mmCIF file of all heavy atoms in Angstrom:
data_model
loop_
_atom_site.group_PDB
_atom_site.id
_atom_site.type_symbol
_atom_site.label_atom_id
_atom_site.label_comp_id
_atom_site.label_asym_id
_atom_site.label_seq_id
_atom_site.Cartn_x
_atom_site.Cartn_y
_atom_site.Cartn_z
ATOM 1 N N LEU L 871 76.160 90.864 103.535
ATOM 2 C CA LEU L 871 74.731 90.717 103.730
ATOM 3 C C LEU L 871 74.320 91.257 105.088
ATOM 4 O O LEU L 871 75.074 91.173 106.061
ATOM 5 C CB LEU L 871 74.322 89.246 103.631
ATOM 6 C CG LEU L 871 74.400 88.595 102.247
ATOM 7 C CD1 LEU L 871 74.104 87.110 102.348
ATOM 8 C CD2 LEU L 871 73.434 89.266 101.267
ATOM 9 N N GLN L 872 73.121 91.785 105.166
ATOM 10 C CA GLN L 872 72.599 92.275 106.431
ATOM 11 C C GLN L 872 72.092 91.123 107.282
ATOM 12 O O GLN L 872 71.764 90.055 106.783
ATOM 13 C CB GLN L 872 71.477 93.280 106.174
ATOM 14 C CG GLN L 872 71.936 94.554 105.492
ATOM 15 C CD GLN L 872 70.776 95.470 105.174
ATOM 16 O OE1 GLN L 872 70.041 95.245 104.219
ATOM 17 N NE2 GLN L 872 70.607 96.511 105.977
ATOM 18 N N ARG L 873 72.016 91.386 108.594
ATOM 19 C CA ARG L 873 71.514 90.376 109.527
ATOM 20 C C ARG L 873 70.543 91.029 110.499
ATOM 21 O O ARG L 873 70.828 92.102 111.042
ATOM 22 C CB ARG L 873 72.663 89.729 110.295
ATOM 23 C CG ARG L 873 72.194 88.721 111.349
ATOM 24 C CD ARG L 873 73.348 88.141 112.146
ATOM 25 N NE ARG L 873 72.859 87.341 113.272
ATOM 26 C CZ ARG L 873 73.640 86.770 114.189
ATOM 27 N NH1 ARG L 873 74.962 86.914 114.105
ATOM 28 N NH2 ARG L 873 73.124 86.068 115.170
ATOM 29 N N GLY L 874 69.395 90.380 110.697
ATOM 30 C CA GLY L 874 68.407 90.853 111.655
ATOM 31 C C GLY L 874 68.517 90.130 112.978
ATOM 32 O O GLY L 874 69.505 89.454 113.257
ATOM 33 N N GLU L 875 67.461 90.215 113.778
ATOM 34 C CA GLU L 875 67.518 89.717 115.153
ATOM 35 C C GLU L 875 67.103 88.259 115.307
ATOM 36 O O GLU L 875 67.348 87.649 116.351
ATOM 37 C CB GLU L 875 66.617 90.576 116.053
ATOM 38 C CG GLU L 875 65.138 90.479 115.727
ATOM 39 C CD GLU L 875 64.283 91.334 116.645
ATOM 40 O OE1 GLU L 875 64.719 92.421 117.038
ATOM 41 O OE2 GLU L 875 63.161 90.888 116.978
ATOM 42 N N HIS L 876 66.491 87.681 114.274
ATOM 43 C CA HIS L 876 65.967 86.323 114.403
ATOM 44 C C HIS L 876 67.004 85.282 113.979
ATOM 45 O O HIS L 876 67.911 85.586 113.193
ATOM 46 C CB HIS L 876 64.701 86.159 113.567
ATOM 47 C CG HIS L 876 63.616 87.126 113.926
ATOM 48 N ND1 HIS L 876 63.048 87.160 115.172
ATOM 49 C CD2 HIS L 876 63.011 88.104 113.196
ATOM 50 C CE1 HIS L 876 62.129 88.103 115.208
ATOM 51 N NE2 HIS L 876 62.089 88.696 114.030
ATOM 52 N N PRO L 877 66.890 84.048 114.481
ATOM 53 C CA PRO L 877 67.840 83.004 114.078
ATOM 54 C C PRO L 877 67.817 82.719 112.577
ATOM 55 O O PRO L 877 68.861 82.456 111.984
ATOM 56 C CB PRO L 877 67.384 81.778 114.885
ATOM 57 C CG PRO L 877 66.673 82.333 116.067
ATOM 58 C CD PRO L 877 65.994 83.582 115.576
ATOM 59 N N LEU L 878 66.646 82.774 111.968
ATOM 60 C CA LEU L 878 66.517 82.467 110.548
ATOM 61 C C LEU L 878 66.636 83.754 109.735
ATOM 62 O O LEU L 878 65.838 84.686 109.892
ATOM 63 C CB LEU L 878 65.174 81.796 110.251
ATOM 64 C CG LEU L 878 64.979 80.405 110.868
ATOM 65 C CD1 LEU L 878 63.559 79.920 110.635
ATOM 66 C CD2 LEU L 878 65.981 79.403 110.317
ATOM 67 N N GLN L 879 67.649 83.783 108.875
ATOM 68 C CA GLN L 879 67.891 84.934 108.009
ATOM 69 C C GLN L 879 67.742 84.483 106.561
ATOM 70 O O GLN L 879 68.517 83.659 106.073
ATOM 71 C CB GLN L 879 69.283 85.505 108.253
ATOM 72 C CG GLN L 879 69.494 86.037 109.655
ATOM 73 C CD GLN L 879 68.654 87.279 109.924
ATOM 74 O OE1 GLN L 879 68.762 88.285 109.221
ATOM 75 N NE2 GLN L 879 67.805 87.213 110.947
ATOM 76 N N LEU L 880 66.731 85.035 105.896
ATOM 77 C CA LEU L 880 66.404 84.646 104.530
ATOM 78 C C LEU L 880 66.830 85.744 103.566
ATOM 79 O O LEU L 880 66.547 86.927 103.794
ATOM 80 C CB LEU L 880 64.900 84.397 104.396
ATOM 81 C CG LEU L 880 64.366 84.024 103.014
ATOM 82 C CD1 LEU L 880 64.887 82.661 102.570
ATOM 83 C CD2 LEU L 880 62.843 84.039 103.005
ATOM 84 N N TYR L 881 67.487 85.340 102.493
ATOM 85 C CA TYR L 881 67.927 86.264 101.447
ATOM 86 C C TYR L 881 67.285 85.797 100.149
ATOM 87 O O TYR L 881 67.652 84.738 99.619
ATOM 88 C CB TYR L 881 69.450 86.279 101.366
ATOM 89 C CG TYR L 881 70.086 86.611 102.700
ATOM 90 C CD1 TYR L 881 70.509 85.599 103.559
ATOM 91 C CD2 TYR L 881 70.222 87.936 103.111
ATOM 92 C CE1 TYR L 881 71.059 85.900 104.801
ATOM 93 C CE2 TYR L 881 70.776 88.242 104.351
ATOM 94 C CZ TYR L 881 71.190 87.221 105.194
ATOM 95 O OH TYR L 881 71.730 87.522 106.420
ATOM 96 N N SER L 882 66.325 86.598 99.631
ATOM 97 C CA SER L 882 65.480 86.023 98.591
ATOM 98 C C SER L 882 64.793 87.098 97.767
ATOM 99 O O SER L 882 65.046 88.297 97.913
ATOM 100 C CB SER L 882 64.445 85.100 99.256
ATOM 101 O OG SER L 882 63.768 84.323 98.297
ATOM 102 N N LEU L 883 63.918 86.656 96.910
ATOM 103 C CA LEU L 883 63.091 87.494 96.053
ATOM 104 C C LEU L 883 61.772 86.753 95.860
ATOM 105 O O LEU L 883 61.742 85.517 95.860
ATOM 106 C CB LEU L 883 63.784 87.729 94.704
ATOM 107 C CG LEU L 883 63.078 88.647 93.696
ATOM 108 C CD1 LEU L 883 63.045 90.092 94.201
ATOM 109 C CD2 LEU L 883 63.781 88.607 92.341
ATOM 110 N N GLY L 884 60.692 87.520 95.671
ATOM 111 C CA GLY L 884 59.368 86.905 95.604
ATOM 112 C C GLY L 884 59.031 86.253 94.284
ATOM 113 O O GLY L 884 57.927 86.427 93.758
ATOM 114 N N THR L 885 59.956 85.485 93.731
ATOM 115 C CA THR L 885 59.689 84.641 92.564
ATOM 116 C C THR L 885 59.037 83.348 93.062
ATOM 117 O O THR L 885 58.953 83.118 94.277
ATOM 118 C CB THR L 885 60.993 84.301 91.845
ATOM 119 O OG1 THR L 885 61.792 83.487 92.712
ATOM 120 C CG2 THR L 885 61.769 85.560 91.466
ATOM 121 N N PRO L 886 58.591 82.467 92.165
ATOM 122 C CA PRO L 886 58.040 81.201 92.649
ATOM 123 C C PRO L 886 58.972 80.442 93.589
ATOM 124 O O PRO L 886 58.521 79.922 94.617
ATOM 125 C CB PRO L 886 57.773 80.427 91.357
ATOM 126 C CG PRO L 886 57.433 81.498 90.380
ATOM 127 C CD PRO L 886 58.358 82.631 90.709
ATOM 128 N N ASN L 887 60.258 80.364 93.293
ATOM 129 C CA ASN L 887 61.167 79.650 94.185
ATOM 130 C C ASN L 887 61.293 80.351 95.526
ATOM 131 O O ASN L 887 61.402 79.705 96.572
ATOM 132 C CB ASN L 887 62.541 79.490 93.528
ATOM 133 C CG ASN L 887 62.558 78.389 92.491
ATOM 134 O OD1 ASN L 887 61.757 77.464 92.536
ATOM 135 N ND2 ASN L 887 63.463 78.493 91.532
ATOM 136 N N GLY L 888 61.306 81.681 95.519
ATOM 137 C CA GLY L 888 61.356 82.414 96.778
ATOM 138 C C GLY L 888 60.084 82.264 97.575
ATOM 139 O O GLY L 888 60.117 82.122 98.809
ATOM 140 N N GLN L 889 58.938 82.261 96.910
ATOM 141 C CA GLN L 889 57.656 82.138 97.604
ATOM 142 C C GLN L 889 57.500 80.799 98.310
ATOM 143 O O GLN L 889 56.812 80.714 99.333
ATOM 144 C CB GLN L 889 56.510 82.324 96.614
ATOM 145 C CG GLN L 889 56.313 83.752 96.157
ATOM 146 C CD GLN L 889 55.168 83.892 95.181
ATOM 147 O OE1 GLN L 889 54.335 82.991 95.031
ATOM 148 N NE2 GLN L 889 55.115 85.017 94.493
ATOM 149 N N LYS L 890 58.108 79.762 97.789
ATOM 150 C CA LYS L 890 58.015 78.460 98.463
ATOM 151 C C LYS L 890 58.401 78.588 99.929
ATOM 152 O O LYS L 890 57.725 78.059 100.819
ATOM 153 C CB LYS L 890 58.953 77.445 97.810
ATOM 154 C CG LYS L 890 58.657 77.043 96.402
ATOM 155 C CD LYS L 890 59.750 76.073 95.954
ATOM 156 C CE LYS L 890 59.783 75.865 94.485
ATOM 157 N NZ LYS L 890 60.895 74.983 94.067
ATOM 158 N N VAL L 891 59.517 79.265 100.196
ATOM 159 C CA VAL L 891 60.072 79.318 101.547
ATOM 160 C C VAL L 891 59.312 80.305 102.414
ATOM 161 O O VAL L 891 59.044 80.032 103.592
ATOM 162 C CB VAL L 891 61.570 79.647 101.495
ATOM 163 C CG1 VAL L 891 62.164 79.718 102.896
ATOM 164 C CG2 VAL L 891 62.307 78.589 100.672
ATOM 165 N N THR L 892 58.937 81.469 101.877
ATOM 166 C CA THR L 892 58.195 82.420 102.705
ATOM 167 C C THR L 892 56.794 81.897 103.020
ATOM 168 O O THR L 892 56.276 82.129 104.116
ATOM 169 C CB THR L 892 58.121 83.797 102.027
ATOM 170 O OG1 THR L 892 57.654 83.671 100.684
ATOM 171 C CG2 THR L 892 59.501 84.454 102.011
ATOM 172 N N ILE L 893 56.179 81.189 102.080
ATOM 173 C CA ILE L 893 54.898 80.544 102.390
ATOM 174 C C ILE L 893 55.081 79.518 103.491
ATOM 175 O O ILE L 893 54.284 79.447 104.439
ATOM 176 C CB ILE L 893 54.300 79.906 101.117
ATOM 177 C CG1 ILE L 893 53.766 80.989 100.179
ATOM 178 C CG2 ILE L 893 53.183 78.912 101.477
ATOM 179 C CD1 ILE L 893 53.334 80.478 98.812
ATOM 180 N N MET L 894 56.117 78.701 103.407
ATOM 181 C CA MET L 894 56.393 77.713 104.450
ATOM 182 C C MET L 894 56.574 78.385 105.810
ATOM 183 O O MET L 894 55.989 77.957 106.818
ATOM 184 C CB MET L 894 57.647 76.916 104.075
ATOM 185 C CG MET L 894 58.146 75.951 105.140
ATOM 186 S SD MET L 894 57.018 74.562 105.380
ATOM 187 C CE MET L 894 58.017 73.469 106.408
ATOM 188 N N LEU L 895 57.358 79.439 105.856
ATOM 189 C CA LEU L 895 57.612 80.122 107.123
ATOM 190 C C LEU L 895 56.330 80.735 107.689
ATOM 191 O O LEU L 895 56.065 80.639 108.899
ATOM 192 C CB LEU L 895 58.686 81.186 106.932
ATOM 193 C CG LEU L 895 60.105 80.652 106.733
ATOM 194 C CD1 LEU L 895 61.018 81.737 106.165
ATOM 195 C CD2 LEU L 895 60.671 80.100 108.041
ATOM 196 N N GLU L 896 55.541 81.349 106.846
ATOM 197 C CA GLU L 896 54.302 81.960 107.329
ATOM 198 C C GLU L 896 53.278 80.902 107.737
ATOM 199 O O GLU L 896 52.509 81.095 108.686
ATOM 200 C CB GLU L 896 53.724 82.900 106.269
ATOM 201 C CG GLU L 896 54.555 84.149 106.028
ATOM 202 C CD GLU L 896 54.669 85.031 107.268
ATOM 203 O OE1 GLU L 896 53.715 85.071 108.077
ATOM 204 O OE2 GLU L 896 55.718 85.686 107.418
ATOM 205 N N GLU L 897 53.257 79.772 107.062
ATOM 206 C CA GLU L 897 52.377 78.675 107.466
ATOM 207 C C GLU L 897 52.826 78.095 108.811
ATOM 208 O O GLU L 897 52.003 77.723 109.642
ATOM 209 C CB GLU L 897 52.350 77.593 106.386
ATOM 210 C CG GLU L 897 51.556 77.963 105.148
ATOM 211 C CD GLU L 897 50.054 77.738 105.318
ATOM 212 O OE1 GLU L 897 49.644 77.061 106.290
ATOM 213 O OE2 GLU L 897 49.286 78.252 104.479
ATOM 214 N N LEU L 898 54.129 78.014 109.015
ATOM 215 C CA LEU L 898 54.631 77.564 110.318
ATOM 216 C C LEU L 898 54.203 78.515 111.424
ATOM 217 O O LEU L 898 53.743 78.085 112.497
ATOM 218 C CB LEU L 898 56.158 77.460 110.278
ATOM 219 C CG LEU L 898 56.744 76.268 109.529
ATOM 220 C CD1 LEU L 898 58.242 76.470 109.285
ATOM 221 C CD2 LEU L 898 56.513 74.960 110.305
ATOM 222 N N LEU L 899 54.345 79.807 111.177
ATOM 223 C CA LEU L 899 53.928 80.791 112.176
ATOM 224 C C LEU L 899 52.430 80.711 112.432
ATOM 225 O O LEU L 899 51.986 80.772 113.590
ATOM 226 C CB LEU L 899 54.308 82.197 111.705
ATOM 227 C CG LEU L 899 55.803 82.514 111.721
ATOM 228 C CD1 LEU L 899 56.085 83.796 110.938
ATOM 229 C CD2 LEU L 899 56.319 82.642 113.162
ATOM 230 N N ALA L 900 51.639 80.547 111.376
ATOM 231 C CA ALA L 900 50.184 80.439 111.530
ATOM 232 C C ALA L 900 49.792 79.205 112.338
ATOM 233 O O ALA L 900 48.775 79.204 113.038
ATOM 234 C CB ALA L 900 49.512 80.408 110.159
ATOM 235 N N ALA L 901 50.626 78.160 112.244
ATOM 236 C CA ALA L 901 50.355 76.918 112.981
ATOM 237 C C ALA L 901 50.885 76.971 114.412
ATOM 238 O O ALA L 901 50.767 75.980 115.148
ATOM 239 C CB ALA L 901 50.966 75.732 112.248
ATOM 240 N N GLY L 902 51.485 78.101 114.817
ATOM 241 C CA GLY L 902 51.929 78.266 116.196
ATOM 242 C C GLY L 902 53.380 77.946 116.454
ATOM 243 O O GLY L 902 53.806 77.905 117.619
ATOM 244 N N HIS L 903 54.175 77.735 115.434
ATOM 245 C CA HIS L 903 55.591 77.429 115.616
ATOM 246 C C HIS L 903 56.414 78.711 115.735
ATOM 247 O O HIS L 903 56.071 79.752 115.169
ATOM 248 C CB HIS L 903 56.111 76.587 114.442
ATOM 249 C CG HIS L 903 55.442 75.260 114.323
ATOM 250 N ND1 HIS L 903 55.816 74.170 115.072
ATOM 251 C CD2 HIS L 903 54.410 74.853 113.534
ATOM 252 C CE1 HIS L 903 55.047 73.132 114.756
ATOM 253 N NE2 HIS L 903 54.193 73.523 113.818
ATOM 254 N N ASP L 904 57.499 78.634 116.468
ATOM 255 C CA ASP L 904 58.387 79.772 116.669
ATOM 256 C C ASP L 904 59.354 79.854 115.492
ATOM 257 O O ASP L 904 60.545 79.552 115.600
ATOM 258 C CB ASP L 904 59.149 79.644 117.988
ATOM 259 C CG ASP L 904 59.996 80.868 118.285
ATOM 260 O OD1 ASP L 904 59.797 81.901 117.625
ATOM 261 O OD2 ASP L 904 60.874 80.785 119.177
ATOM 262 N N ALA L 905 58.820 80.270 114.356
ATOM 263 C CA ALA L 905 59.600 80.299 113.111
ATOM 264 C C ALA L 905 59.830 81.732 112.632
ATOM 265 O O ALA L 905 59.917 81.988 111.436
ATOM 266 C CB ALA L 905 58.877 79.499 112.030
ATOM 267 N N GLU L 906 59.959 82.653 113.572
ATOM 268 C CA GLU L 906 60.190 84.051 113.185
ATOM 269 C C GLU L 906 61.476 84.170 112.370
ATOM 270 O O GLU L 906 62.449 83.450 112.603
ATOM 271 C CB GLU L 906 60.268 84.946 114.414
ATOM 272 C CG GLU L 906 58.910 85.436 114.891
ATOM 273 C CD GLU L 906 58.250 86.379 113.882
ATOM 274 O OE1 GLU L 906 58.923 86.835 112.933
ATOM 275 O OE2 GLU L 906 57.046 86.635 114.048
ATOM 276 N N TYR L 907 61.461 85.108 111.453
ATOM 277 C CA TYR L 907 62.583 85.214 110.522
ATOM 278 C C TYR L 907 62.705 86.653 110.017
ATOM 279 O O TYR L 907 61.755 87.435 110.068
ATOM 280 C CB TYR L 907 62.385 84.271 109.339
ATOM 281 C CG TYR L 907 61.207 84.621 108.445
ATOM 282 C CD1 TYR L 907 61.404 85.254 107.210
ATOM 283 C CD2 TYR L 907 59.892 84.318 108.814
ATOM 284 C CE1 TYR L 907 60.329 85.570 106.383
ATOM 285 C CE2 TYR L 907 58.820 84.632 107.992
ATOM 286 C CZ TYR L 907 59.042 85.259 106.782
ATOM 287 O OH TYR L 907 57.981 85.575 105.978
ATOM 288 N N ASP L 908 63.880 86.977 109.534
ATOM 289 C CA ASP L 908 64.111 88.207 108.788
ATOM 290 C C ASP L 908 64.279 87.833 107.324
ATOM 291 O O ASP L 908 64.997 86.880 106.998
ATOM 292 C CB ASP L 908 65.378 88.907 109.268
ATOM 293 C CG ASP L 908 65.246 89.454 110.677
ATOM 294 O OD1 ASP L 908 64.666 90.538 110.839
ATOM 295 O OD2 ASP L 908 65.732 88.784 111.620
ATOM 296 N N ALA L 909 63.631 88.596 106.446
ATOM 297 C CA ALA L 909 63.756 88.366 105.006
ATOM 298 C C ALA L 909 64.339 89.608 104.354
ATOM 299 O O ALA L 909 63.783 90.707 104.494
ATOM 300 C CB ALA L 909 62.403 88.034 104.397
ATOM 301 N N TRP L 910 65.445 89.429 103.661
ATOM 302 C CA TRP L 910 66.146 90.515 102.993
ATOM 303 C C TRP L 910 66.031 90.335 101.484
ATOM 304 O O TRP L 910 66.131 89.222 100.976
ATOM 305 C CB TRP L 910 67.618 90.526 103.402
ATOM 306 C CG TRP L 910 67.830 90.600 104.881
ATOM 307 C CD1 TRP L 910 67.991 89.555 105.745
ATOM 308 C CD2 TRP L 910 67.898 91.785 105.677
ATOM 309 N NE1 TRP L 910 68.166 90.005 107.028
ATOM 310 C CE2 TRP L 910 68.116 91.380 107.022
ATOM 311 C CE3 TRP L 910 67.814 93.147 105.392
ATOM 312 C CZ2 TRP L 910 68.240 92.279 108.070
ATOM 313 C CZ3 TRP L 910 67.933 94.054 106.434
ATOM 314 C CH2 TRP L 910 68.142 93.619 107.752
ATOM 315 N N LEU L 911 65.838 91.448 100.787
ATOM 316 C CA LEU L 911 65.631 91.399 99.339
ATOM 317 C C LEU L 911 66.949 91.189 98.597
ATOM 318 O O LEU L 911 67.936 91.890 98.851
ATOM 319 C CB LEU L 911 64.998 92.700 98.860
ATOM 320 C CG LEU L 911 64.659 92.757 97.368
ATOM 321 C CD1 LEU L 911 63.527 91.784 97.038
ATOM 322 C CD2 LEU L 911 64.274 94.181 96.968
ATOM 323 N N ILE L 912 66.948 90.224 97.698
ATOM 324 C CA ILE L 912 68.054 90.006 96.762
ATOM 325 C C ILE L 912 67.522 90.309 95.372
ATOM 326 O O ILE L 912 66.708 89.559 94.821
ATOM 327 C CB ILE L 912 68.587 88.557 96.834
ATOM 328 C CG1 ILE L 912 69.130 88.261 98.230
ATOM 329 C CG2 ILE L 912 69.654 88.318 95.769
ATOM 330 C CD1 ILE L 912 70.341 89.083 98.627
ATOM 331 N N ASN L 913 67.943 91.424 94.812
ATOM 332 C CA ASN L 913 67.455 91.842 93.495
ATOM 333 C C ASN L 913 68.293 91.157 92.417
ATOM 334 O O ASN L 913 69.399 91.591 92.099
ATOM 335 C CB ASN L 913 67.546 93.365 93.358
ATOM 336 C CG ASN L 913 66.865 93.878 92.100
ATOM 337 O OD1 ASN L 913 66.829 93.202 91.071
ATOM 338 N ND2 ASN L 913 66.318 95.076 92.168
ATOM 339 N N ILE L 914 67.752 90.089 91.858
ATOM 340 C CA ILE L 914 68.523 89.310 90.888
ATOM 341 C C ILE L 914 68.679 90.062 89.567
ATOM 342 O O ILE L 914 69.592 89.784 88.804
ATOM 343 C CB ILE L 914 67.908 87.920 90.652
ATOM 344 C CG1 ILE L 914 66.495 88.013 90.081
ATOM 345 C CG2 ILE L 914 67.908 87.111 91.949
ATOM 346 C CD1 ILE L 914 65.893 86.664 89.704
ATOM 347 N N GLY L 915 67.793 91.025 89.286
ATOM 348 C CA GLY L 915 67.936 91.815 88.073
ATOM 349 C C GLY L 915 69.145 92.726 88.121
ATOM 350 O O GLY L 915 69.722 93.076 87.089
#
């Protein structure tokens, strides 16, 4: 798996289960939290 520069490394796909976590992370960032992350695509197909 690849790794980016942020502490949080997410490996996912934009299905409903994947969206739960990216929405959470973006809401944290919008609220001013230091929740920067790298998101890598996992093609389940």
